[in-house]
Amino acid sequence: MRTPGRRRSRGTDAALPSTAELAALGARVSAARSATEARGETFYPGASRVHLAAFPPKEHWDDWVELSSRAWPARQEKHYTLVPTTCFNCESACGLLAYVDRGTGQVRKFEGNPEHPGSRGRNCAKGPATINQVTDPDRILYPLRRAGRRGEGGWVRISWDEALDALAARIRAALAESRQNEIMVHIGRPGEDGFTERVLASWGVDGHNSHTNVCSSGGRTGFQFWMGIDRPSPDHANAKVIYLISAHLEAGHYFNPHAQRITEARARGAKVIVLDTRLSNTATHADYWLSPQPGSEAAINLAVANHLIQSGNFDRDFVRKWWNWAEYLTACHPSVPVTFEAFEEILRGLYAEFTFEFAAAESGIPAETLAEVAAVVAAAGTRFSCHSWRSAAAGNLGGWQVSRTLFLICALLGAVATEGGTFPNVWNKFVPRPIHVPPQPGVWQELSWPVEYPLAQNELSFLLPHFLKDGRGKLDTYFIRVYNPVWTNPDGLSWLEVLGDEAKIGCFVALTPTWSESAYLADYVLPMGHSSERHDTHSYEQYDGQWIAFRQPVLRAARERRGETITDTRQVNPGEVWEENEFWIELSWRIDPDGSLGVRQYYESRNRPGEKLTVDEYYEWMFEHSVPGLPERAAAEGRTPLAWMRRYGAFEISRGQGAVHEQEVPAAELADVHTTPLGRVYTSAAAPSSPNIAPTGAPEPDEAGRRAAGVLVEGVVRRGFPTPSGRLEFWSGTLAAWGWPEHALPGYIRSHVHPSRLESDQLVLLSTFRLPTQIHTRSANSKWLNELSHTNPVWIHPSDAARLGVSRTGDLVRVETQIGYFVAKAWITEGIRPGVVACSHHMGRWKLSGHDQVGTGGMLATVDLHRRSHSWFMHPVGRVRGYKSADPDTARIWWSDTGVHQNLTFPVQPDPISGMHCWHQAVRVRPALPTDAHGDIAVDTGKAREVYAEWLALTRPAGTVSPDGTRRPRWLMRPVKPSADAFRLPALSPGPDGAP
Ligand code: SF4
């Protein structure tokens, strides 16, 4: 929010004092000094001569002065160099300022970077807690190689050269022997825009795997089928109504930047509607909190949409211009005239069944409440912002229809790319083109993109153990990075089985700053830096503008500011901690030392031909050539673009993108135009070059090879949307053509935990919610966060507790899933709906007994893990307690309860369309047996195989539904997109005579 009397610095909303204000402040300090001295007292003017309420102005970042709190009342000044970087403790990429002590040369603390346009100087608790991760006494500092059998717990320290040479030799052999599909890099949180994808493409490998199908695929799929772009970018700050199927004030996607803007809108009178079965912190701030039966969210959305349709309270002009209603009529109602009036008539009929009464019966929310909410939504007009990401879309079979029906409301209101509306994210995101762009690999990785899931939003990552057990392939070298598959995924013990099997995974490499349940099983554990110890770029959709932020090793930048030359980030990081970018460059160089494999060319310097690319040159080139406005901005201060980014950490490229789809395509971009009967415009003119390569679903060329340039709207060729039709796809021709015509429209799919599918003694378990103060497994080495949040009780409504015989909060309960059970403490609360229980996924970290020499002491319980055939049993044998280390605080740990690892007891439940793991579980909850202990877990991985087979049977494989002999629609997004040839199904690959 703008502070009266203060200017906005260019590119930020942050309230920074202007030079004039600083001068005025100086004058006041002088006056105060005179007054104090006139009284005969000693005057102390304040450490940095800047008002304490202000962020450190950037003019002071070379020598920022604060008083030592420990020395008080002595006024001992501490001098800092302030260096920006980007937080990595969630996906929001907020700006941080590292306070580098000019005396010790070490980072003292992290606070917010006021120059960052997204976060505007603010952080959540996890941002400043970065200092804990950097100074964690348990972190991994040196490369390690396994000694003894895999998982046995023995390690030897090795040099980076040894690790690099061994891995390079394996990968080189795999590439030379055409075993590209035996190389896989599995990334949890990328924290960067495409560096690793380019590494894999440069190796000619389709080996990118992600965590997205256990996270946000459901949410993305619904948006992608509408817009060709898989994320919304809500303009919350200017909205009149904010509709969240998420917990955006505490933990939703981009939550700190969004929470700030939601708060601003609320202060101006915006209404907030929150759908969350659990009373989240966000729900407590809502004007309307709806606690629906899990899985009924799409029914509520449809009831709201139906109200808009039946009452005529929608933007007819927008719908007429931008929906693909004509395509829908042509395909599905061939006997009906292709007129908008005919479509409106059909539209009214399509959704008539979704009354408030219907939604009330499905959701348990009174029809009157739903009607009131719908009236509020209808009054929003084009100032309706919304978000759905994980939550319901990640919990349910058909969860992707939650975001598809949510966007239906936006699309009815015309609140698309409007002030206060919801944008396609790519218009508010900027991914700069890098120095080298390798071609698309010519292979297809079946272990990540299996034929059963042609429409999956992302890799079927969590099915990897089952695919390996099926014998669909094997991995020679498997990397994980910011990823802990045993702990994060459902069915973690199946992961443990395959990660321990050298016949299935030949070499397992963990790139990680900390120990984890998975890293214990690795053959190589290679220490990687935290957010202040590595390079990356980021850009995220957080308002209607585009920015780019630079993550950097802050000690490197601080020492370079002092005139030192740093050539390798290991020179400034603790121990031999490295960063991924330099690691990948070096590894790629060693894979192809003479260039004969074609890999090395993508790692060669342009400035020094034949020599290796440095990260400085990589980012120098990017900031110089691919970020509009940055070179000029930097030059105005006499800096290079890289030096400017090293100093300020973030740059706002543009603001107010507006309705890009409405832009008229210039005549210069149109030549040899071909327009389809439905208005898609193709051209053979070259595409305008753009430095922004933010990913979209890219429409395919037409049969003549012309590219899609726009869409004809009322006689004008406009840019439109990157969908096959160029319009918003109310009806998805892709879903219809690829075997799912019954779900081609926004609709309602009853969840696998719909009440009709539950047995009388079953409840629904919500297992997906984040806590505001933890971030999956990577925050377990942050002592501040651990003290705040370290356990995960099972939320249970008093009525359920009474019925089940759970008498008190803290009583142990057994939660039984399809493949096992876990034992947890009960938390009896009215903050959850009757019939539903909830447990946060953040807790329950563990290490095996006998592995006590390594670990993250504040959060990992010690467990015994027993196996008999497919039956596993885990039992905690050592709770967390204080211990001596280099950090005296570890002796002060007062908690012992670190929760339970519930994900181990969940079978895989992949949605047959989106591929999203459907996290909600049908469970039985009962008081624990006297022999049960908190944290006990039992799992049958044989049953896990059966459940995998049941869900696999729901799919419609490409081999039976593909309309064109390919594995997947080419226009859909894919992190590393293979070449067109690789898309062809094997049986239809051209034979020697060229025939299919
Ligand atoms: S929201 Fe918090 S954890 Fe996420 S990037 Fe911002 S400061 Fe870091």
Side-chain angles (χ1 to χ4, degrees):
M1 197 183 314
R2 188 191 290 258
T3 304
R6 296 219 171 134
R7 73 175 172 86
R8 286 185 194 199
S9 68
R10 185 188 182 279
T12 78
D13 281 348
L16 291 178
S18 65
T19 307
E21 287 171 314
L22 287 172
L25 191 62
R28 288 203 296 279
V29 169
S30 296
R33 174 198 292 267
S34 303
T36 306
E37 288 173 351
R39 292 196 300 272
E41 298 164 6
T42 307
F43 178 76
Y44 182 78
S48 269
R49 278 72 167 167
V50 171
H51 194 281
L52 287 176
F55 291 110
K58 60 190 178 191
E59 296 80 6
H60 288 241
W61 286 8
D62 281 336
D63 186 17
W64 177 250
V65 191
E66 293 186 348
L67 295 185
S68 164
S69 57
R70 292 193 178 158
W72 187 263
R75 289 175 178 135
Q76 186 187 95
E77 291 187 348
K78 304 284 283 183
H79 290 253
Y80 298 103
T81 302
L82 304 190
V83 183
T85 189
T86 308
C87 182
F88 192 39
N89 279 338
C90 84
E91 67 281 12
S92 299
C94 299
L96 291 176
L97 268 187
Y99 285 58
V100 181
D101 190 310
R102 288 163 61 88
T104 65
Q106 296 302 310
V107 181
R108 178 75 183 85
K109 62 178 176 178
F110 292 93
E111 294 193 355
N113 176 7
E115 294 296 310
H116 189 296
S119 57
R120 305 182 291 189
R122 293 123 175 175
N123 299 110
C124 77
K126 301 191 290 293
T130 301
I131 190 67
N132 298 160
Q133 295 164 306
V134 170
T135 57
D136 166 31
D138 292 327
R139 67 180 296 186
I140 302 163
L141 294 174
Y142 301 97
L144 300 170
R145 192 184 60 224
R146 152 168 79 91
R149 285 184 293 114
R150 193 181 275 181
E152 206 171 50
W155 302 96
V156 289
R157 181 175 157 183
I158 58 171
S159 68
W160 273 108
D161 278 336
E162 198 176 337
L164 286 160
D165 286 340
L167 296 173
R170 292 189 77 98
I171 296 167
R172 183 167 58 246
L175 300 187
E177 294 162 15
S178 299
R179 293 185 287 112
Q180 283 85 349
N181 281 346
E182 293 187 14
I183 309 298
M184 184 178 285
V185 179
H186 205 151
I187 297 169
R189 166 59 45 200
E192 43 102 348
D193 273 327
F195 194 98
T196 317
E197 283 98 315
R198 284 190 290 278
V199 169
L200 289 162
S202 78
W203 298 354
V205 163
D206 183 26
H208 182 274
N209 212 335
S210 73
H211 79 295
T212 310
N213 267 342
V214 294
C215 177
S216 55
S217 284
R220 292 168 187 256
T221 300
F223 293 116
Q224 166 138 321
F225 281 128
W226 264 108
M227 301 189 278
I229 293 170
D230 66 344
R231 299 182 188 206
S233 174
D235 181 16
H236 289 314
N238 297 303
K240 204 168 154 189
V241 173
I242 298 168
Y243 191 103
L244 303 172
I245 310 180
S246 62
H248 258 91
L249 291 179
E250 63 198 283
H253 214 50
Y254 310 140
F255 92 89
N256 167 40
H258 276 174
Q260 297 174 22
R261 292 166 171 90
I262 292 169
T263 304
E264 290 168 9
R266 286 193 77 224
R268 280 202 296 271
K271 296 280 182 241
V272 177
I273 299 163
V274 173
L275 275 67
D276 196 333
T277 306
R278 182 184 64 92
L279 181 63
S280 63
N281 293 356
T282 304
T284 63
H285 286 69
D287 296 281
Y288 294 90
W289 170 42
L290 309 185
S291 171
Q293 179 67 27
S296 65
E297 293 83 355
I300 293 175
N301 293 343
L302 289 172
V304 172
N306 184 44
H307 169 75
L308 301 178
I309 293 166
Q310 304 303 338
S311 63
N313 227 323
F314 65 94
D315 187 334
R316 289 187 78 233
D317 193 46
F318 180 84
V319 173
R320 188 174 47 76
K321 281 171 68 179
W322 286 110
W323 289 27
N324 68 335
W325 56 268
E327 184 181 19
Y328 165 65
L329 289 184
T330 306
C332 301
H333 299 274
S335 58
V336 168
V338 183
T339 66
F340 187 65
E341 290 68 28
F343 172 69
E344 281 189 297
E345 184 66 35
I346 288 172
L347 184 66
R348 280 191 286 274
L350 278 173
Y351 291 100
E353 66 180 294
F354 293 103
T355 59
F356 295 129
E357 289 70 27
F358 172 83
E362 291 294 295
S363 67
I365 311 284
E368 307 74 50
T369 306
L370 296 175
E372 195 176 331
V373 165
V376 171
V377 169
T382 58
R383 289 183 182 266
F384 175 81
S385 70
C386 64
H387 213 307
S388 170
W389 197 239
R390 290 173 283 255
S391 185
N396 298 286
L397 175 71
W400 57 276
Q401 284 280 24
V402 173
S403 52
R404 186 139 161 80
T405 54
L406 179 60
F407 198 80
L408 172 63
I409 299 172
C410 285
L412 282 163
L413 292 170
V416 179
T418 51
E419 189 170 18
T422 302
F423 288 68
N425 87 310
V426 170
W427 301 351
N428 296 157
K429 178 180 171 79
F430 193 94
V431 180
R433 186 171 291 282
I435 185 168
H436 295 302
V437 181
Q440 298 165 316
V443 290
W444 186 279
Q445 176 54 275
E446 275 284 344
L447 291 173
S448 310
W449 299 93
V451 73
E452 290 91 343
Y453 297 90
L455 303 180
Q457 183 67 31
N458 279 78
E459 302 91 339
L460 268 296
S461 57
F462 60 102
L463 298 187
L464 183 61
H466 293 282
F467 294 155
L468 291 172
K469 288 183 178 188
D470 286 348
R472 297 184 183 210
K474 63 177 178 145
L475 295 175
D476 178 279
T477 308
Y478 176 61
F479 293 88
I480 58 170
R481 171 181 178 264
V482 201
Y483 190 49
N484 183 3
V486 171
W487 186 88
T488 303
N489 287 305
D491 196 9
L493 290 165
S494 291
W495 277 90
L496 198 139
E497 288 174 359
V498 299
L499 288 174
D501 184 344
E502 291 178 52
K504 293 185 170 56
I505 298 178
C507 179
F508 174 26
V509 186
L511 306 176
T512 176
T514 54
W515 287 101
S516 72
E517 290 78 352
S518 306
Y520 292 129
L521 293 158
D523 300 308
Y524 293 92
V525 174
L526 305 180
M528 291 293 155
H530 289 291
S531 55
S532 59
E533 299 166 340
R534 43 180 283 204
H535 291 92
D536 286 318
T537 53
H538 292 271
S539 177
Y540 292 127
E541 59 283 0
Q542 296 174 347
Y543 60 92
D544 183 21
Q546 293 176 325
W547 54 262
I548 181 166
F550 191 35
R551 178 173 292 132
Q552 63 176 338
V554 295
L555 294 181
R556 176 177 182 145
R559 284 168 58 174
E560 285 176 347
R561 228 187 264 182
R562 289 205 312 238
E564 292 182 47
T565 301
I566 308 294
T567 53
D568 184 315
T569 300
R570 286 173 293 182
Q571 293 162 0
V572 298
N573 279 346
E576 292 182 8
V577 169
W578 212 357
E579 66 162 28
E580 282 89 337
N581 292 4
E582 286 175 347
F583 167 77
W584 290 127
I585 291 171
E586 184 62 37
L587 181 62
S588 301
W589 195 262
R590 294 188 191 210
I591 288 170
D592 188 17
D594 60 3
S596 58
L597 290 175
V599 173
R600 180 181 142 140
Q601 58 185 310
Y602 303 110
Y603 301 93
E604 288 190 3
S605 164
R606 287 201 184 171
N607 299 335
R608 297 164 288 106
E611 291 186 37
K612 206 182 309 169
L613 184 69
T614 64
V615 287
D616 266 3
E617 186 181 343
Y618 180 87
Y619 289 108
E620 208 164 58
W621 190 96
M622 177 184 281
F623 296 149
E624 180 74 41
H625 296 90
S626 295
V627 183
L630 176 56
E632 296 76 15
R633 179 77 182 277
E637 288 189 23
R639 302 181 198 276
T640 67
L642 176 61
W644 197 95
M645 288 298 277
R646 286 217 184 277
R647 174 155 283 261
Y648 301 121
F651 177 69
E652 188 176 62
I653 296 160
S654 64
R655 181 174 281 231
Q657 294 297 106
V660 174
H661 60 283
E662 291 272 12
Q663 289 173 6
E664 189 172 343
V665 179
E669 293 178 26
L670 298 170
D672 181 27
V673 165
H674 171 70
T675 305
T676 68
L678 291 169
R680 198 48 157 136
V681 176
Y682 293 89
T683 178
S684 54
S689 71
S690 167
N692 186 4
I693 56 167
T696 63
E700 284 297 280
D702 69 3
E703 285 171 2
R706 290 172 289 225
R707 68 177 178 85
V711 60
L712 195 62
V713 179
E714 297 176 338
V716 178
V717 181
R718 301 192 183 276
R719 295 218 181 272
F721 296 88
T723 55
S725 67
R727 290 185 157 84
L728 291 174
E729 300 211 333
F730 165 69
W731 176 76
S732 168
T734 303
L735 277 161
W738 284 76
W740 298 96
E742 69 272 41
H743 297 312
L745 295 173
Y748 178 44
I749 297 173
R750 285 201 162 127
S751 170
H752 64 298
V753 292
H754 187 270
S756 63
R757 291 180 163 164
L758 297 180
E759 293 178 20
S760 61
D761 59 345
Q762 284 186 314
L763 297 92
V764 181
L765 170 65
L766 306 186
S767 61
T768 48
F769 64 95
R770 280 182 176 180
L771 298 175
T773 44
Q774 289 285 0
I775 186 69
H776 309 303
T777 67
R778 66 184 188 274
S779 52
N781 67 332
S782 170
K783 61 185 180 185
W784 296 343
L785 302 180
N786 295 344
E787 183 166 21
L788 290 168
S789 309
H790 42 258
T791 188
N792 58 346
V794 173
W795 301 35
I796 183 166
H797 192 270
S799 61
D800 288 324
R803 181 170 52 81
L804 297 167
V806 180
S807 48
R808 282 187 307 269
T809 286
D811 282 359
L812 292 185
V813 291
R814 228 190 222 218
V815 181
E816 296 174 359
T817 67
Q818 244 182 314
I819 63 169
Y821 68 82
F822 65 90
V823 178
K825 290 179 181 169
W827 180 34
I828 301 173
T829 171
E830 292 187 345
I832 191 77
R833 212 189 145 71
V836 182
V837 289
C839 185
S840 170
H841 68 272
H842 275 126
M843 308 302 171
R845 302 293 310 281
W846 50 270
K847 63 177 185 286
L848 295 173
S849 56
H851 288 209
D852 288 346
Q853 77 278 18
V854 289
T856 299
M859 283 302 273
L860 271 63
T862 305
V863 301
D864 272 346
L865 185 59
H866 301 287
R867 177 183 188 180
R868 185 178 299 153
S869 183
H870 300 305
S871 296
W872 291 85
F873 183 68
M874 179 182 284
H875 176 67
V877 292
R879 302 286 180 188
V880 162
R881 56 192 157 84
Y883 62 101
K884 284 194 179 154
S885 75
D887 179 356
D889 278 349
T890 62
R892 301 183 182 113
I893 291 173
W894 53 264
W895 60 92
S896 60
D897 172 4
T898 48
V900 58
H901 184 188
Q902 58 175 342
N903 288 9
L904 286 179
T905 68
F906 301 162
V908 295
Q909 302 180 154
D911 182 272
I913 294 177
S914 69
M916 175 79 220
H917 172 61
C918 306
W919 277 101
H920 292 348
Q921 302 288 316
V923 296
R924 292 182 176 82
V925 180
R926 46 182 109 245
L929 302 179
T931 49
D932 286 341
H934 183 214
D936 277 359
I937 279 166
V939 171
D940 182 335
T941 51
K943 281 190 187 156
R945 293 285 289 161
E946 291 169 18
V947 180
Y948 155 70
E950 286 167 20
W951 283 75
L952 196 64
L954 302 177
T955 62
R956 298 177 187 171
T960 56
V961 300
S962 174
D964 58 3
T966 60
R967 300 169 187 263
R968 171 183 176 81
R970 281 267 296 156
W971 76 273
L972 289 180
M973 295 166 74
R974 197 166 173 316
V976 178
K977 206 167 209 171
S979 64
D981 280 351
F983 269 73
R984 294 188 68 78
L985 283 161
L988 300 175
S989 295
D993 59 354

